[in-house]
Structures are given as structure tokens and as C-alpha cells.
Amino acid sequence: MSAQNIEKHEFKAEIKQLLDIVIHSLYTEKEIFVRELISNASDALEKLRHLKITESEIQDDSLELEINISTDEEAGTLTIQDYGIGLTRDELVENLGTIAHSGSKQFLEALKSGGEKNADLIGQFGVGFYSAFMVAKEVKVYTQSWRKDTPSHCWTSDGVGAYEIEETETQKRGAKIVIELADDFKQYAKADTIKEIVKRYSSFVQFPIKLNDEKINTVDALWLRSKNEIKDEEYTEFYKFQANAHDEPHYRLHFSADAPLDIKALLFTPKTNTERFGYGRIDPGVALHCRKVLIDAKPEGLLPEWLRYVKGVIDSADLPLNISRETMQDNGLTQKISRVITKRYLKFLGEEAKKRPEQYAEFFKNFGVFLKEGVATDFTYRDDIAKLLYFESSVTEKGKTTSLADYVSRMKEEQKEIYYILGQNRESIESGPYLEGLKSRGLEVLFLYEPIDEYVMSNLNQFEEKTLVSADQGDLKLDDAPTPKGEALSEDDAKSLCEWLKTSIGDRVKEVKVSTRLVDSPVMALSPDAMSSQMRRMMKQMGQDSPMPVEVLFEINPRHELIKNLNTQRASNEDLAKLIAQQTFDNAMVAAGLLEDPKEMITRMYEILEQAATK
Ligand code: ADP
């Protein structure tokens, strides 16, 4: 080939950055590059298998779908070849010269958000092809695309800043990656070393892998075997392979159904929720197979969105083999499969919650947010998922939780509603004014700590025909409480104090009235309805001002010393009494999470302190 045929390209800056990290600091286990290249080869073969269904014109159509590895100790090279879809010139530039694919992109984003501190999590991102440069002096990719009448190419790079592409004589379809090993890594040119690595990382690849012409893997569909023949270690190995994980799964569910559909499924729930670490949205992780043949490794829309954290395999013999990814979503069969699997998985979680509550609590801490998403967005499974939600409550110990069903079982006969309070934490709810009215009537209250919880509750609206009600709602209907201790203001005094307070506080308050709920606190602020306070909190979370004017009901406790003293003081020193009235109102607004701007409150506080100090 003449030198004119060689094109020289610079890597994009992002690739340079990635290469730099991969080569210098990322993995202590360099050997994972073998897994990465085999997994690319397997993907390329998988894609070819799909093309065979729809395309009649395929280059070298008779080639076996297999992976060939060869080692050459003398030359110090390792070669991994597949007869997959291969790459055209443009695809070489696009796929090996820029970060166009999801894995590496997410990886870089994770690094930017400070993820490097957690090496374990980073390991969950395959950086794929570029990992070869950890051990290589030079990498060559010889390739021929599956498209007929396209030229073959050779892509070459030392992984520093540039790569070259050269047109070559026609080669076999697919990609052949030749790694010239750096001096320190010559062990990867040894057949025994490679054999061991393949066994460790790639034993579940669904294509034959040959090493120096000898087949070294058994294509095994673990999920089709019967449960009692499978060892725990085999499951774990499969999970690591399938989910690209480094640890054991938190839960494993292996089951089969014959009717109405023939389904085998092996589902894993991971230990960590990577979305919580800011690693971006998880892709669907349950692959769909038909009699061992992979139909889609990440089927969008097969399982509900909120189950995207689940990993594993579904295999149904009832699926037509030629089903394409596009038609999958409209296929009635896949919807049925989805329903069977989802129901079964939810049932499994319910059983686990009862059998092993502590393990379930750990699961819920990590993945509860997905269940909540399900309740809020998926009407089909709302009631089933709601049974799996757990919260702390006024009757649980700190750190212990209760299900809604257990709450209902403890409800008093005449109680019609399920109460909840949203707060920062247990302490702030227990010291706030909203709990006491319910507690004094012996009513249990759920403690919600995350803003999404409130959204979930209002979406759920009912559980076992009991309405879910927020305790900071103004229109709570409560039975009469046992009369609290202490002398109250007379009804006339209280009424006139309320009117005076309304005038003193001004427009910020809609109505002031005597409370039937307060026991120990002097006052509380309430929203006229649950919706408006929830909306406001959500907007605030999103960093926006609420478009609605704040409508606040202000309730006073006529037995509280502060209220009684205030009533006397407005006759003797009305100016100071007014300041105190406004301050009390602001305190209540803080407790309700409704105070927008504390500036005025602080200035006023100083005025009050000044007057108190001169006395
Ligand atoms: P990823 O596999 O995460 O997409 P890689 O860096 O490993 O990232 O590969 C980048 C892209 O290069 C792949 O998405 C694929 O399009 C292409 N590619 C890599 N290896 C092969 C191969 N053996 N055959 C065909 N295409 C390949």
C-alpha cells in the first residue's frame, strides 16, 4: 500500500482525556481489557445475527459466528478476531475516534462529578476498546464491514494522540484486533494466561470462543437450568458477567412459568444504586432471549421504567425468533411477559420484606426511590407497589420503619384516614407543632423525610380505602381531643385576640383562629389544602418561586402562656405586642417550611431583644 492511502487523524480531546485516565490510573487489574474486547466482539456478532434476519446481502454470509483468539509469545502479540458486523471507514472514525457511545461518556461524566473517589463504582463502566492501551505498545484493528462492496481497512494507534486509517486488501468480515504488547505486559501473549482470564470473565458469552483453534467456553444458558443444579457461585459469576458488576447481588430471583406463557427469568437486584451517585440514568438491564438466543440486551420498554435497576435475563420460548427491537414494544406477547415478570418480582419483594426485614430495609434504602417512582407514575402497579413502601412513624423507633398495611392494622376503629408529616428528620417533626394534635388523640403519623414522599402520597391518595392525609393541612377533621390541662383564654378574649392578630400580622395571613389541635406549642401555620403547600415545596426544591400567593391559616393555642401573656400585653404595650405577634407568626412559618425570606424576621428579632434588654 502506498503512503497516500494512509490518513492521519487526531483523537478528539475527550478521547485523549479518557485514554490518559485509562492508561495511567484506572485499573489495577489490567487483565480486564480481555473482557472488554471479547464483549465488543460478542456485541458485533450479536448485531450480525440480527442483521441476518432482515438483510439478504451480507458480506461473507457463511462465516461462523465465533470469536477467535490467538497468542504469539515470540512476537509478543495477542489477537482477538470476530466475524461480526465490522466497521466501515466512517464507522472507524466515528466509533474509535470520538466518544459516541454511552459507556465511556457516562464514565467521563462520573469522573467529572467527583466519582473517582469510588474506584469500585468506576469499575462498573466498561471503557471498552480503549482499555487495550493499558497493555499495548500499539493496537491495530483490521476490519471489513458486513456491507458488501465496501473496502477493508486497518486502524492503527499507539494510544497517545493520533491514529491512522489505511485501506487494505479485502479481509474476512468482522474485526481483528492485534495488540502489540508493551514490554511489561508480555504475559498476555501466553495462552494459559488468556485461557484463565477468559474463564474468569467471559464464560457466559453466547458465542464460541476459540483460543489458538481450541474451543475454550461452553455456551451455557444458566437461566434454563433447574434451580437446584446451580451453585451460588455460578449465579454470582453470571451476575457479574451480565451486570458488569464486581460484587454479589443483593437479591436473586430465578423462576419459571409455563402458563399462560413459557417464561424463564433470572433477575438480580444489585447492592448499589448508581443513580444515587449521580452516574446518570440506568439503562434497562434485563436482557430478552428466546430459547437462548439474545433478542435485545437492553430492551427499552419491556419492563416498566421504574424497574430499570433490575439486572438479568428473561427467556421466553413463545417469542417469535425474528422479532425485531422495533416491533417488540407493540407486541402483545412482550407486554404479557412484562406483566408476569413485574407481578412476580413485586410478590418476591413482598415476601422478602416479611421474611428478612433487615435485608429488605437495606434494599429499600437504596432502591425505595424507584418503587416510589413506580407509585407516582405507573397506575397499573400502583397498589401493588404501595404495599412495599416503608416509612418511620410516630410509633416506630428511630431508624425502624412500618409498611402502610401495618399502619392500617394498628388504626383505631373510628379512624378513617392515614396521616403523614413531611419533615427534615424525626427530631424536627417531633418538635414541630403538627404532630401533637394527632398524637394527643392517639393517632399514628407517618414520618416522611424526602420531598418525593409527599408527591407519592398525594398520587397514591388512598391505601386500602383509607385516604392519605397530610398533617399540615388546614381542613383536617379530627374528633374532639381529651381537654388539655391548663386554663384557657375565655372564648370572647380568644376571639378578640384572633381579630387583633389578623390586623397586626396583616396581608400575610388569611385567617387566624383558635386551634383544636395544639397541645404544647403556642401556634402553627397551616395551608388551606395539602396541594398548595406541597406545590410550593416542590417549586422551592426546583429553585423556583411559587406563582401562587401564600395563603396561610394561623392557629393559636389559647392555653399557652405565650398566647395568654400576649393578650394581656396588647393592652399595656401594644407596640411590643405587635412585634411579638409578627415574630410568632414567622416562627410558625419557619416550622411550616413556608418562610421565603428571613431578613425581616432577624431585624425584628433584634428590636424585640433590644426592648427586652432595657427592661
Ligand atoms: P462501547 O462498547 O461501550 O460502545 P467501545 O469503546 O468498546 O465502547 O467501542 C466503541 C464502538 O466501537 C462500539 O460501540 C462499536 O460500535 C465499535 N466497535 C468496537 N469493537 C468492535 C468490533 N469488534 N466490531 C465492530 N464494532 C466494534
Side-chain angles (χ1 to χ4, degrees):
M1 282 283 144
S2 66
Q4 291 101 291
N5 272 341
I6 302 178
E7 302 172 32
K8 206 171 164 115
H9 295 256
E10 281 279 310
F11 282 119
K12 285 267 157 64
E14 56 200 14
I15 293 271
K16 286 188 194 166
Q17 190 188 351
L18 183 71
L19 279 167
D20 193 56
I21 299 163
V22 169
I23 296 168
H24 294 113
S25 51
L26 187 56
Y27 295 106
T28 40
E29 296 162 72
K30 304 280 182 202
E31 66 191 32
I32 62 103
F33 80 93
V34 178
R35 175 191 74 186
E36 297 292 316
L37 295 183
I38 289 179
S39 131
N40 279 353
S42 159
D43 286 351
L45 288 166
E46 201 51 66
K47 286 178 190 155
L48 193 91
R49 179 144 71 188
H50 279 281
L51 283 174
K52 273 175 178 278
I53 298 168
T54 51
E55 302 286 334
S56 52
E57 295 285 294
I58 289 182
Q59 176 88 6
D60 295 335
D61 208 1
S62 58
L63 280 177
E64 291 292 322
L65 298 189
E66 61 182 26
I67 299 168
N68 284 300
I69 305 178
S70 51
T71 50
D72 186 336
E73 264 190 83
E74 221 164 283
T77 59
L78 170 68
T79 303
I80 298 178
Q81 176 171 30
D82 65 73
Y83 299 138
I85 54 169
L87 299 115
T88 61
R89 182 205 155 274
D90 288 352
E91 284 164 351
L92 279 171
V93 175
E94 178 65 20
N95 296 332
L96 301 186
T98 58
I99 300 190
H101 43 290
S102 56
S104 312
K105 216 176 209 154
Q106 273 188 17
F107 169 78
L108 270 186
E109 272 160 22
L111 276 185
K112 277 185 206 141
S113 59
E116 65 224 284
K117 285 169 210 112
N118 199 331
D120 229 32
L121 280 173
I122 284 180
Q124 301 195 358
F125 295 91
V127 280
F129 173 74
Y130 306 103
S131 59
F133 289 104
M134 290 191 294
V135 297
K137 216 185 273 176
E138 185 182 81
V139 176
K140 281 186 182 292
V141 181
Y142 294 92
T143 180
Q144 164 63 46
S145 162
W146 65 275
R147 292 170 196 279
K148 284 202 159 155
D149 305 320
T150 55
S152 298
H153 291 95
C154 175
W155 179 102
T156 310
S157 177
D158 59 4
V160 178
Y163 63 91
E164 287 175 2
I165 297 180
E166 184 182 359
E167 203 175 305
T168 65
E169 294 156 11
T170 304
Q171 302 163 34
K172 279 191 185 160
R173 183 196 66 221
K176 182 167 83 176
I177 304 188
V178 182
I179 299 169
E180 190 187 330
L181 295 159
D183 292 341
D184 288 349
F185 300 108
K186 295 284 189 213
Q187 73 266 32
Y188 297 116
K190 286 199 171 94
D192 287 350
T193 314
I194 296 299
K195 192 169 179 177
E196 202 218 319
I197 299 172
V198 172
K199 284 232 154 1
R200 183 144 10 116
Y201 293 115
S202 305
S203 42
F204 294 99
V205 171
Q206 295 296 306
F207 297 97
I209 302 177
K210 290 182 181 162
L211 175 63
N212 300 330
D213 291 328
E214 178 203 346
K215 187 158 171 250
I216 54 168
N217 67 332
T218 44
V219 179
D220 179 17
L222 188 75
W223 59 92
L224 297 185
R225 282 165 49 192
S226 102
K227 267 201 266 192
N228 42 25
E229 285 171 11
I230 306 174
K231 295 198 204 80
D232 281 351
E233 302 87 76
E234 286 181 279
Y235 277 124
T236 304
E237 281 307 307
F238 179 69
Y239 167 67
K240 287 183 179 173
F241 168 77
Q242 179 75 15
N244 207 355
H246 294 251
D247 50 2
E248 290 182 12
H250 187 81
Y251 285 138
R252 168 181 96 210
L253 171 62
H254 188 184
F255 74 94
S256 60
D258 307 322
L261 287 169
D262 183 320
I263 298 175
K264 310 260 185 299
L266 177 51
L267 305 178
F268 297 101
T269 304
K271 277 208 169 84
T272 36
N273 167 6
T274 50
E275 278 189 19
R276 273 178 77 190
F277 294 89
Y279 282 69
R281 201 178 166 80
I282 302 173
D283 283 335
V286 180
L288 183 63
H289 290 246
C290 169
R291 301 168 207 260
K292 280 165 89 167
V293 176
L294 180 66
I295 292 184
D296 195 340
K298 297 176 174 179
E300 288 285 348
L302 174 63
L303 294 181
E305 284 270 303
W306 50 270
L307 280 181
R308 60 186 176 277
Y309 64 93
V310 179
K311 313 282 182 199
V313 181
I314 299 170
D315 195 319
S316 174
D318 291 330
L319 280 172
L321 250 182
N322 64 353
I323 188 168
S324 73
R325 284 167 208 209
E326 290 69 39
T327 57
M328 204 189 69
Q329 278 200 42
D330 315 321
N331 189 298
L333 259 180
T334 50
Q335 283 172 16
K336 270 189 206 142
I337 292 175
S338 173
R339 218 167 306 137
V340 172
I341 301 282
T342 307
K343 286 259 180 199
R344 184 67 186 80
Y345 180 69
L346 291 176
K347 185 171 154 229
F348 166 80
L349 289 180
E351 290 162 358
E352 282 297 322
K354 293 218 167 57
K355 274 192 273 181
R356 282 173 282 271
E358 277 175 23
Q359 215 184 344
Y360 183 83
E362 187 64 29
F363 156 79
F364 193 76
K365 210 166 73 197
N366 287 316
F367 295 98
V369 61
F370 291 98
L371 299 183
K372 290 172 187 173
E373 182 185 318
V375 171
T377 59
D378 194 340
F379 188 76
T380 320
Y381 301 105
R382 175 169 299 168
D383 294 338
D384 290 322
I385 312 171
K387 295 184 189 137
L388 300 168
L389 299 180
Y390 279 71
F391 300 99
E392 282 193 36
S393 90
S394 53
V395 308
T396 68
E397 284 168 44
K398 182 180 167 67
K400 294 267 184 289
T401 54
T402 174
S403 67
L404 294 174
D406 285 344
Y407 177 110
V408 171
S409 73
R410 286 187 292 267
M411 275 169 74
K412 300 206 270 181
E413 216 172 296
E414 62 282 7
Q415 186 181 344
K416 290 185 188 58
E417 294 170 323
I418 298 175
Y419 302 102
Y420 62 84
I421 299 180
L422 178 79
Q424 293 267 324
N425 48 41
R426 190 171 187 103
E427 289 71 24
S428 80
I429 292 176
E430 283 181 334
S431 63
Y434 301 104
L435 184 61
E436 49 199 55
L438 295 157
K439 221 173 155 180
S440 67
R441 289 169 174 81
L443 299 168
E444 180 175 358
V445 183
L446 297 172
F447 293 173
L448 278 43
Y449 304 137
E450 291 174 46
I452 185 187
D453 293 341
E454 196 180 30
Y455 181 67
V456 167
M457 289 301 195
S458 69
N459 262 279
L460 183 59
N461 191 35
Q462 289 212 332
F463 183 83
E464 294 182 3
E465 287 160 32
K466 315 275 187 240
T467 308
L468 294 149
V469 180
S470 169
D472 70 352
Q473 211 168 306
D475 52 5
L476 269 196
K477 284 174 203 61
L478 298 174
D479 295 339
D480 289 342
T483 315
K485 285 185 275 5
E487 182 99 22
L489 285 178
S490 74
E491 232 168 86
D492 283 350
D493 278 353
K495 194 164 166 254
S496 121
L497 178 64
C498 286
E499 281 161 16
W500 177 83
L501 279 167
K502 168 84 186 82
T503 333
S504 305
I505 299 165
D507 285 348
R508 295 199 294 151
V509 69
K510 187 169 177 255
E511 192 189 337
V512 183
K513 63 177 196 181
V514 173
S515 180
T516 54
R517 284 153 67 177
L518 289 168
V519 181
D520 297 317
S521 303
V523 293
M524 73 178 162
L526 297 161
S527 303
D529 57 81
M531 216 35 216
S532 59
S533 63
Q534 186 202 332
M535 268 290 280
R536 200 168 301 109
R537 275 194 284 260
M538 293 235 312
M539 310 273 303
K540 214 170 158 191
Q541 269 256 307
M542 296 187 286
Q544 290 176 4
D545 286 335
S546 166
M548 295 177 292
V550 187
E551 282 204 335
V552 181
L553 309 179
F554 190 48
E555 290 195 1
I556 61 167
N557 178 355
R559 285 170 214 283
H560 199 280
E561 288 307 314
L562 172 60
I563 297 302
K564 289 193 278 190
N565 290 347
L566 189 61
N567 190 45
T568 334
Q569 193 175 36
R570 71 187 170 108
S572 61
N573 184 351
E574 192 171 11
D575 288 344
L576 180 58
K578 267 189 184 161
L579 285 179
I580 292 173
Q582 286 170 2
Q583 194 65 27
T584 318
F585 179 71
D586 274 356
N587 280 7
M589 292 289 276
V590 171
L594 291 173
L595 192 75
E596 305 286 343
D597 182 5
K599 238 186 291 141
E600 206 179 314
M601 169 172 175
I602 291 167
T603 320
R604 190 187 318 109
M605 192 70 212
Y606 282 128
E607 268 180 68
I608 295 172
L609 289 174
E610 200 182 304
Q611 297 203 31
T614 51
K615 255 194 174 175

